[in-house]
Amino acid sequence: KEDFIPQKNNEVKMYVCGPTVYDLSHIGHARSAVAFDVIYRYLKYRGYKVTYVRNYTDVDDKIIKKAVKEGAAAHEIAERYIKAFDEDMDALDVSLPDFRPKVTETMPEIIRFVQSLIDKGIAYVVDGDVYYSVRKFDEYGRLSGKKIEELEAGARVEIDERKNDPLDFALWKASKEGEPWWNSPWGKGRPGWHIECSAMSQKFLGGTLDIHGGGKDLIFPHHENEIAQSEGATGRPFVRYWLHNGFVNINKEKMSKSLGNILSIRDALNNYPSEAIRLFLLSSHYRSPIDYSPDVLSDAEASLDRFYATLQRMEKEWPEIIKKKADKKEKERLLQPVMDAMDDDFNTALAIGHIFNEVHRVNRLMDEAGESGNSSGLIPFLPAVKEAFKEIGSVLGVFNKTTEMYFNEKKKHLSISEDEIKKSIEERNKARRTKEWARADQIRRDLEEKGIILEDRPDGTIWKVKR
């Protein structure tokens, strides 16, 4: 670990590789987006002025292939899935970056960038294609730890005889029939994948970036090639701090199309509240792999239920106390361990652990106050807890709803309608009146299996969503 020291006072230039928009985004995309969203939020919370750029790759082999398959234009495919990605991000409460450039809107900058590499003698043109000369960049492999000698064997698998060296990679691709193209000094064509991010980051952030992020799968070759071409063009360090998020596994298996276990963000949102998905994604350190399964999502939802139930209890049992002004020192005491965790390489897992330690403590103190009839110990504590939770929630992007909103939204995910619940309660009440106790108990169990808890009160039976 290193101390984070931005190159200019409290200003932070941050670039994160965004999606290639040819299909619905999956839970792996959500992991990256949520992780860097929290990093963005936390840096701003700590007083940094952050300029955050996340791109769309809207021209690519996969987009073209999808367009051919559907008989559509490539730009139509790209725009469709940009819209879908934006909707998914909004559902997950992911903040909008300051800039969201598209490759197709950055073509003049990409062409100028490629030309500068040709002018410097570290890129060359072959039949309308432009390649980067990897061996002319002495530090190639420093990010991934790969050595040129090790890469040579793999590069020989797909030899292109036109290249000066099997390791050289494409900066510009000559157009093929039916593909989108742009005019360039080397003929009609489109950019290679790696050059896009170098050009876009330079356009919006310039010079050296403070933070560059993305998934671990991008370290090689994408980020390695970004370093080579960016430092080759500018002669300056490209990035001060590289941050890479870990993979999402599905039921302990790597998520892949060949295994048929790709989980779209939309499918996840159909089954779980957005805050539960977000809490799950933040419950492991962003660099670590994380395993998605129905059980862990249910656990995340149960944790949210516990949090909001605690807030609801504070509001109902101690309404006058929580309206009081928070004690500043008590609030700082609550926030400090969370901030220490976040200062330690954005350790959201540890931060969330501290939050739930306080949830446990709040409930214990409320129990003690209720039993003793003495609420004086709650007076400096509860208002500070409520404010601290709100402040932390604004950074993590969870715990931000009112209790009423949260529990009402949970009803939407039930497998049974409110009318059906009411009919079941009426049927149970009838069974109880006629002393059919086994039938009444069975109705209660059936509702509980569907996430409904019944509570018998002197004024009648009420129902709640299971917590």
Side-chain angles (χ1 to χ4, degrees), residues 223-248:
H223 289 163
E224 197 71 73
N225 290 350
E226 275 191 68
I227 293 171
Q229 62 203 14
S230 296
E231 296 191 3
T234 67
R236 297 191 298 268
F238 177 41
V239 174
R240 292 168 63 82
Y241 303 95
W242 285 96
L243 278 64
H244 294 98
N245 63 276
F247 297 121
V248 177

Side-chain angles (χ1 to χ4, degrees), residues 308-309 311-313 315 401-408:
Y308 281 106
L311 278 187
Q312 191 176 63
R313 185 182 175 191
E315 292 163 356
K401 293 179 169 62
T402 64
T403 54
E404 183 180 14
M405 187 188 303
Y406 178 77
F407 288 113
N408 282 341

Side-chain angles (χ1 to χ4, degrees), residues 298-309:
S298 295
D299 289 346
E301 188 171 0
S303 295
L304 278 173
D305 289 351
R306 190 160 68 253
F307 176 88
Y308 281 106

Side-chain angles (χ1 to χ4, degrees), residues 40-59:
Y40 177 47
R41 288 172 184 243
Y42 186 66
L43 289 170
K44 290 200 297 181
Y45 173 74
R46 292 304 305 267
Y48 291 100
K49 181 183 177 184
V50 187
T51 306
Y52 176 23
V53 180
R54 186 189 66 218
N55 75 298
Y56 301 105
T57 294
D58 63 338
V59 57

Side-chain angles (χ1 to χ4, degrees), residues 282-293:
L282 297 174
S283 294
S284 293
H285 191 278
Y286 76 92
R287 293 188 190 272
S288 303
I290 190 169
D291 191 55
Y292 182 104
S293 71

